[in-house]
Each structure stands twice: as structure tokens, then as C-alpha cells.
Amino acid sequence: MQIRTGDTFDPRVIALLDHHVTAARAQTAPGSAHALDLSGLRAPDIAFWTGWDGDTLVATGALKTLSPDHGEVKSMHTLQAARRRGFGGQMLSHIFAAGRARGMARLSLETGSWDYFRPAVALYQAHGFVLGGPFEGYVEDPNSLFLTLDLSGR
């Protein structure tokens, strides 16, 4: 997979992100979905990447800077037809490297607690994330899981 800086004006990227946000919101209780829309991904504190298998967009991922040493993984999504081929793990590795390059010691993320999100949680845990608590303005929510990763020991 080739990872590039994401172009939030590319119609292919817009379509995959629209699917990601729509699916996440459909599988989450009202008020508990925290997926970024296009305007959120264009914010200055967000680094956004796309993953390509040849000419096919297969994955997205983003890193939000919360503080100089803490980042949040956002907008992780793999095209349904491309799942179970390692693209999600490659995107996470890229985000880890970007976080380290920015001097971050910790990454956190929020994802859903419903069955729909179990494959994502398994991916995050396989890459070293552990359950944690709310961070950076999130609050306890039975519909959310909060995970964290210590980058300093990786």
C-alpha cells in the first residue's frame, strides 16, 4: 500500500469518507458518534493520509494533535473489499511513525463499543492499544471505548 497525504477534495476520498461517517453514525447511538467529517479533517491540527493499492483507494487515517506529546488517531477506515489484507495495520504504523516524528509519547482514540466496531478494536489491541478512559473533552459513554498507546516504549 502506498500512503500519501490525503486530498480531501478528491471525489474518491470524499466517497470513502462519506461511507465511513455514515456507517459509523448508523452503528452508534445518537450523540455518541465522533467521526470527523471533511471540514474536521481539513483543520490545521489534523494530519490526514490515504492508502492506495495501485489506483484503488483502500484506507484512510488521521492524526489529531492534542498537545505536543499526545495525539488522537482519527478517521481510520479500510474499504470493505480490502479488509483483512493488512492495510489497516500499515496505516496505524504510519500514524505511529508520524506521532513519534512529532515528539508524541502517547496516542489515544475513541471508537464504538457496539459489535460493529469489534474488528477495529481487535486491530487496535493487536497493535498495542489498551483500554483507557476518556481524554481531551470526551466523557464516559457506554457507547464508546477509549484506548491508549504508549509510543515511548515502541
Side-chain angles (χ1 to χ4, degrees), residues 111 116-125:
T111 192
Y116 174 82
F117 298 97
R118 282 187 192 204
V121 172
L123 172 72
Y124 299 135
Q125 289 179 324

PDB file of all heavy atoms in Angstrom, residues 111 116-125:
ATOM      1  N   THR A 111     -13.528   4.789  19.968  1.00  0.00           N
ATOM      2  CA  THR A 111     -14.273   4.016  18.986  1.00  0.00           C
ATOM      3  C   THR A 111     -15.547   3.509  19.644  1.00  0.00           C
ATOM      4  O   THR A 111     -15.719   3.623  20.858  1.00  0.00           O
ATOM      5  CB  THR A 111     -13.423   2.857  18.400  1.00  0.00           C
ATOM      6  OG1 THR A 111     -14.097   2.312  17.261  1.00  0.00           O
ATOM      7  CG2 THR A 111     -13.167   1.773  19.428  1.00  0.00           C
ATOM      8  N   TYR A 116     -20.397  -3.865  15.802  1.00  0.00           N
ATOM      9  CA  TYR A 116     -19.888  -3.371  14.529  1.00  0.00           C
ATOM     10  C   TYR A 116     -18.427  -2.950  14.627  1.00  0.00           C
ATOM     11  O   TYR A 116     -17.663  -3.073  13.673  1.00  0.00           O
ATOM     12  CB  TYR A 116     -20.761  -2.190  14.073  1.00  0.00           C
ATOM     13  CG  TYR A 116     -20.273  -1.471  12.837  1.00  0.00           C
ATOM     14  CD1 TYR A 116     -20.557  -1.966  11.566  1.00  0.00           C
ATOM     15  CD2 TYR A 116     -19.527  -0.297  12.931  1.00  0.00           C
ATOM     16  CE1 TYR A 116     -20.110  -1.302  10.424  1.00  0.00           C
ATOM     17  CE2 TYR A 116     -19.085   0.370  11.805  1.00  0.00           C
ATOM     18  CZ  TYR A 116     -19.376  -0.135  10.557  1.00  0.00           C
ATOM     19  OH  TYR A 116     -18.933   0.516   9.434  1.00  0.00           O
ATOM     20  N   PHE A 117     -18.022  -2.455  15.794  1.00  0.00           N
ATOM     21  CA  PHE A 117     -16.675  -1.911  15.985  1.00  0.00           C
ATOM     22  C   PHE A 117     -15.665  -2.947  16.499  1.00  0.00           C
ATOM     23  O   PHE A 117     -14.486  -2.624  16.631  1.00  0.00           O
ATOM     24  CB  PHE A 117     -16.726  -0.713  16.939  1.00  0.00           C
ATOM     25  CG  PHE A 117     -17.565   0.416  16.409  1.00  0.00           C
ATOM     26  CD1 PHE A 117     -18.882   0.569  16.808  1.00  0.00           C
ATOM     27  CD2 PHE A 117     -17.054   1.316  15.491  1.00  0.00           C
ATOM     28  CE1 PHE A 117     -19.676   1.597  16.318  1.00  0.00           C
ATOM     29  CE2 PHE A 117     -17.834   2.347  14.986  1.00  0.00           C
ATOM     30  CZ  PHE A 117     -19.144   2.486  15.399  1.00  0.00           C
ATOM     31  N   ARG A 118     -16.097  -4.176  16.770  1.00  0.00           N
ATOM     32  CA  ARG A 118     -15.179  -5.187  17.326  1.00  0.00           C
ATOM     33  C   ARG A 118     -13.956  -5.449  16.462  1.00  0.00           C
ATOM     34  O   ARG A 118     -12.850  -5.570  16.989  1.00  0.00           O
ATOM     35  CB  ARG A 118     -15.922  -6.487  17.600  1.00  0.00           C
ATOM     36  CG  ARG A 118     -16.732  -6.413  18.850  1.00  0.00           C
ATOM     37  CD  ARG A 118     -17.330  -7.740  19.203  1.00  0.00           C
ATOM     38  NE  ARG A 118     -18.322  -7.522  20.239  1.00  0.00           N
ATOM     39  CZ  ARG A 118     -18.694  -8.443  21.077  1.00  0.00           C
ATOM     40  NH1 ARG A 118     -18.181  -9.648  21.006  1.00  0.00           N
ATOM     41  NH2 ARG A 118     -19.591  -8.168  21.983  1.00  0.00           N
ATOM     42  N   PRO A 119     -14.088  -5.546  15.131  1.00  0.00           N
ATOM     43  CA  PRO A 119     -12.875  -5.749  14.329  1.00  0.00           C
ATOM     44  C   PRO A 119     -11.876  -4.600  14.478  1.00  0.00           C
ATOM     45  O   PRO A 119     -10.662  -4.827  14.532  1.00  0.00           O
ATOM     46  CB  PRO A 119     -13.401  -5.844  12.892  1.00  0.00           C
ATOM     47  CG  PRO A 119     -14.819  -6.307  13.037  1.00  0.00           C
ATOM     48  CD  PRO A 119     -15.308  -5.641  14.302  1.00  0.00           C
ATOM     49  N   ALA A 120     -12.362  -3.375  14.573  1.00  0.00           N
ATOM     50  CA  ALA A 120     -11.470  -2.226  14.761  1.00  0.00           C
ATOM     51  C   ALA A 120     -10.773  -2.310  16.114  1.00  0.00           C
ATOM     52  O   ALA A 120      -9.557  -2.100  16.211  1.00  0.00           O
ATOM     53  CB  ALA A 120     -12.245  -0.919  14.637  1.00  0.00           C
ATOM     54  N   VAL A 121     -11.521  -2.635  17.147  1.00  0.00           N
ATOM     55  CA  VAL A 121     -10.924  -2.754  18.488  1.00  0.00           C
ATOM     56  C   VAL A 121      -9.855  -3.848  18.482  1.00  0.00           C
ATOM     57  O   VAL A 121      -8.769  -3.669  19.038  1.00  0.00           O
ATOM     58  CB  VAL A 121     -12.009  -3.024  19.549  1.00  0.00           C
ATOM     59  CG1 VAL A 121     -11.393  -3.338  20.905  1.00  0.00           C
ATOM     60  CG2 VAL A 121     -12.965  -1.832  19.653  1.00  0.00           C
ATOM     61  N   ALA A 122     -10.138  -4.965  17.836  1.00  0.00           N
ATOM     62  CA  ALA A 122      -9.152  -6.056  17.753  1.00  0.00           C
ATOM     63  C   ALA A 122      -7.885  -5.577  17.039  1.00  0.00           C
ATOM     64  O   ALA A 122      -6.763  -5.913  17.459  1.00  0.00           O
ATOM     65  CB  ALA A 122      -9.757  -7.260  17.049  1.00  0.00           C
ATOM     66  N   LEU A 123      -8.034  -4.811  15.971  1.00  0.00           N
ATOM     67  CA  LEU A 123      -6.878  -4.269  15.256  1.00  0.00           C
ATOM     68  C   LEU A 123      -6.055  -3.373  16.176  1.00  0.00           C
ATOM     69  O   LEU A 123      -4.828  -3.507  16.271  1.00  0.00           O
ATOM     70  CB  LEU A 123      -7.337  -3.480  14.024  1.00  0.00           C
ATOM     71  CG  LEU A 123      -6.231  -2.702  13.306  1.00  0.00           C
ATOM     72  CD1 LEU A 123      -5.294  -3.655  12.573  1.00  0.00           C
ATOM     73  CD2 LEU A 123      -6.841  -1.701  12.336  1.00  0.00           C
ATOM     74  N   TYR A 124      -6.713  -2.457  16.872  1.00  0.00           N
ATOM     75  CA  TYR A 124      -6.002  -1.541  17.756  1.00  0.00           C
ATOM     76  C   TYR A 124      -5.278  -2.303  18.868  1.00  0.00           C
ATOM     77  O   TYR A 124      -4.116  -2.026  19.167  1.00  0.00           O
ATOM     78  CB  TYR A 124      -6.957  -0.510  18.354  1.00  0.00           C
ATOM     79  CG  TYR A 124      -7.643   0.354  17.329  1.00  0.00           C
ATOM     80  CD1 TYR A 124      -9.006   0.626  17.410  1.00  0.00           C
ATOM     81  CD2 TYR A 124      -6.945   0.904  16.260  1.00  0.00           C
ATOM     82  CE1 TYR A 124      -9.644   1.428  16.473  1.00  0.00           C
ATOM     83  CE2 TYR A 124      -7.575   1.696  15.310  1.00  0.00           C
ATOM     84  CZ  TYR A 124      -8.923   1.949  15.426  1.00  0.00           C
ATOM     85  OH  TYR A 124      -9.551   2.733  14.490  1.00  0.00           O
ATOM     86  N   GLN A 125      -5.946  -3.278  19.461  1.00  0.00           N
ATOM     87  CA  GLN A 125      -5.320  -4.031  20.545  1.00  0.00           C
ATOM     88  C   GLN A 125      -4.157  -4.878  20.023  1.00  0.00           C
ATOM     89  O   GLN A 125      -3.138  -5.018  20.703  1.00  0.00           O
ATOM     90  CB  GLN A 125      -6.360  -4.875  21.275  1.00  0.00           C
ATOM     91  CG  GLN A 125      -7.301  -3.994  22.088  1.00  0.00           C
ATOM     92  CD  GLN A 125      -8.387  -4.751  22.817  1.00  0.00           C
ATOM     93  OE1 GLN A 125      -8.922  -5.738  22.329  1.00  0.00           O
ATOM     94  NE2 GLN A 125      -8.737  -4.269  24.004  1.00  0.00           N
TER      95      GLN A 125
END
